[in-house]
Amino acid sequence: MSNELNNSITNGIASLLGLPEAVVTSIPTVYKAYRQQRIFNFLKYTNFTIDRISVNDCNKIRKLVSSNEGKILLSKYLEEAIAIDSEVARMALAILFSDDPDFIFESHIKNIIFIAIKELDDRAINFYIDSHNKVHNYKIDGLPYERIVINSESELLSEFWTREDIALLVGHFRKLNLLLPDPCSSSPYSSKDSTWLVEYGISDTTKRISRLFQKAKEFSKDYNQQA
């Protein structure tokens, strides 16, 4: 693209946004630095997570990254890392890349996680962890997975999570396929609290995803303490 055309585009954007030309010309530099910082953080987190797996697994990852196939895979992860806002989510991505044996997911589940973590901030991740740990599980014969019922007596309802928070975030995570639909067609618990009730499902897979976020949260804390 010629300098004349670049100047024309810059002047047009500056005029459209009502900004000084100097501000507009600085945007590509800021954007590049923003992307580079996210890539740099992901690579640092990846090194941090690889140092915490077994020697054999560590050697496998380092050998993979040295291959053309591994470089392509790393490039795909870097693209994902750029699109993530949460540093805890970026650490979770690094854990997935390191092939931690506790968090080996089938490809379609991994794709769900990739899509979801771009829509999460640290507070939402905290809620997701709590949505598995600070609740009572109902294991009902014949249901494909466990049922969670939250009402006004639930531990999840606290100074951290209001009724509105819970309703909105459960809906958000269900849209992201990280929480499952209520496996019952009708609620046998509605008579206990007719004014407020939120229901959803969790499975072995969602529990592992919750543990992935918990480990990423702990790793992020450890990383920041030693940085």
Side-chain angles (χ1 to χ4, degrees), residues 96-122:
L96 290 175
F97 181 76
S98 69
D99 268 350
D100 186 312
D102 291 333
F103 303 108
I104 304 298
F105 295 95
E106 294 181 20
S107 60
H108 69 284
I109 299 297
K110 191 174 287 188
N111 287 336
I112 288 173
I113 297 172
F114 285 172
I115 292 170
I117 57 179
K118 289 179 277 195
E119 303 293 330
L120 302 178
D121 58 17
D122 289 351

Side-chain angles (χ1 to χ4, degrees), residues 87-168:
E87 292 302 327
V88 174
R90 211 176 334 273
M91 182 66 82
L93 187 69
I95 292 172
L96 290 175
F97 181 76
S98 69
D99 268 350
D100 186 312
D102 291 333
F103 303 108
I104 304 298
F105 295 95
E106 294 181 20
S107 60
H108 69 284
I109 299 297
K110 191 174 287 188
N111 287 336
I112 288 173
I113 297 172
F114 285 172
I115 292 170
I117 57 179
K118 289 179 277 195
E119 303 293 330
L120 302 178
D121 58 17
D122 289 351
R123 178 171 167 79
I125 289 173
N126 287 337
F127 177 83
Y128 188 73
I129 295 169
D130 286 350
S131 73
H132 284 71
N133 298 328
K134 294 186 176 181
V135 292
H136 180 73
N137 300 12
Y138 293 93
K139 295 183 178 180
I140 303 173
D141 290 343
L143 294 185
Y145 45 77
E146 295 173 41
R147 188 173 201 251
I148 304 298
V149 178
I150 303 172
N151 57 30
S152 58
E153 298 178 356
S154 296
E155 182 185 355
L156 189 60
L157 191 63
S158 65
E159 70 269 23
F160 297 109
W161 309 116
T162 66
R163 296 182 183 202
E164 183 178 10
D165 289 335
I166 292 170
L168 289 172

Side-chain angles (χ1 to χ4, degrees), residues 10-11 16 20 41 51 138 145 150 160-161 163 170 189 227:
T10 299
N11 292 336
L16 179 65
N41 285 351
D51 284 344
Y138 293 93
Y145 45 77
I150 303 172
F160 297 109
W161 309 116
R163 296 182 183 202
V170 166
Y189 308 100

